[in-house]
Amino acid sequence: DVQMTQSPSSVSASVGDRVTITCRASQGVRSWLAWYQQKPGKAPKLLIYTASTLQSGVPSRFSGSGSGTDFTLTISGLQPEDFATYYCQQADSFPLTFGGGTKVEIK
Amino acid sequence: EVQLVESGGGLVQPGGSLRLSCAASGFTFSNYWMGWVRQAPGKGLEWVANIKEDGSEKYYVDSVKGRFSISRDNAKNSLFLQMNSLRAEDTAVYFCARVPVHRPFDYWGQGTLVTVSS
């Protein structure tokens, strides 16, 4: 099974900050990597797929990069509505696996 | 508008069974893989199972193999998860989600809570 490791597990940031979250796969997943945002009590929302493709309707301040085993989600210019938990997920092979999550909190 | 609405959650004793349903609308259900993802209280996301458009392929996380069964009824635009031999560690919110070709889960339901406790 592919293990997905996210870091940091939490980050405190201010509105306007640039935030970077990393996700490392235990083996190569090519570009089959997605990022989701989840707010308390809500379903996850797809932000990015195939490592760097922005899902329709997602603001351009979100961007993704990487391939193989190392991936990054960047939020450029954090907005109040961006405070949430973010998860990466590999879609290269079954079983599908998620990272442990990164909580973005208000500083 | 794509909508996924789960139902069937509730409180069940260890060893019991439950059947979750997911009603889909706003898209051609039979053209998409579908899946179930769960989230234990205060924990992260865990993939549970996926099923191919025509039901001919099914995949499960190891922890539910032999106990859970995913199925679908394309005529009724519905996805199901039959859960048997439930354990306390199966307690979670269960989400159904749509899986487009070459994409991850793009639409999710609101989730249904399953609590396994005596």
Side-chain angles (χ1 to χ4, degrees):
Chain A
D1 299 2
V2 181
Q3 308 301 318
M4 306 300 293
T5 304
Q6 277 183 244
S7 61
S9 56
S10 67
V11 58
S12 294
S14 301
V15 172
D17 284 354
R18 178 185 175 99
V19 172
T20 298
I21 300 168
T22 64
C23 180
R24 174 163 290 176
S26 61
Q27 61 194 71
V29 298
R30 296 179 285 179
S31 292
W32 297 114
L33 192 284
W35 290 97
Y36 300 89
Q37 176 194 67
Q38 187 180 33
K39 296 181 180 179
K42 299 294 187 181
K45 173 187 175 183
L46 177 63
L47 298 176
I48 287 169
Y49 60 96
T50 53
S52 59
T53 305
L54 207 61
Q55 172 72 347
S56 175
V58 174
S60 58
R61 62 180 179 273
F62 291 94
S63 63
S65 65
S67 67
T69 60
D70 292 303
F71 301 88
T72 299
L73 172 70
T74 300
I75 311 172
S76 301
L78 200 64
Q79 296 299 300
E81 60 268 30
D82 300 337
F83 291 97
T85 300
Y86 294 84
Y87 295 93
C88 61
Q89 178 231 323
Q90 66 83 15
D92 183 66
S93 61
F94 290 108
L96 306 179
T97 45
F98 289 86
T102 296
K103 188 173 184 179
V104 177
E105 300 174 298
I106 301 172
K107 182 183 285 185
Chain B
E1 178 194 4
V2 172
Q3 282 199 314
L4 299 169
V5 180
E6 302 93 337
S7 60
L11 175 63
V12 61
Q13 292 188 336
S17 298
L18 215 52
R19 188 191 196 211
L20 304 184
S21 299
C22 174
S25 61
F27 65 101
T28 305
F29 182 72
S30 58
N31 286 355
Y32 290 84
W33 283 69
M34 296 293 295
W36 290 96
V37 175
R38 67 184 178 183
Q39 186 169 36
K43 301 297 184 182
L45 300 170
E46 180 184 37
W47 170 74
V48 175
N50 272 23
I51 185 169
K52 195 177 178 180
E53 297 97 325
D54 61 359
S56 62
E57 293 182 36
K58 304 175 184 180
Y59 299 89
Y60 301 91
V61 67
D62 281 352
S63 59
V64 309
K65 281 180 184 174
R67 300 189 301 122
F68 289 13
S69 178
I70 189 172
S71 62
R72 64 192 296 162
D73 184 337
N74 286 344
K76 295 184 178 179
N77 294 335
S78 295
L79 176 71
F80 306 101
L81 186 67
Q82 177 66 43
M83 303 186 297
N84 299 329
S85 302
L86 282 160
R87 306 166 180 166
E89 54 265 35
D90 296 319
T91 294
V93 174
Y94 285 73
F95 298 99
C96 73
R98 190 180 81 164
V99 191
V101 174
H102 301 309
R103 293 195 186 185
F105 305 106
D106 68 343
Y107 282 93
W108 298 60
Q110 84 289 349
T112 187
L113 177 62
V114 172
T115 303
V116 184
S117 175
S118 55

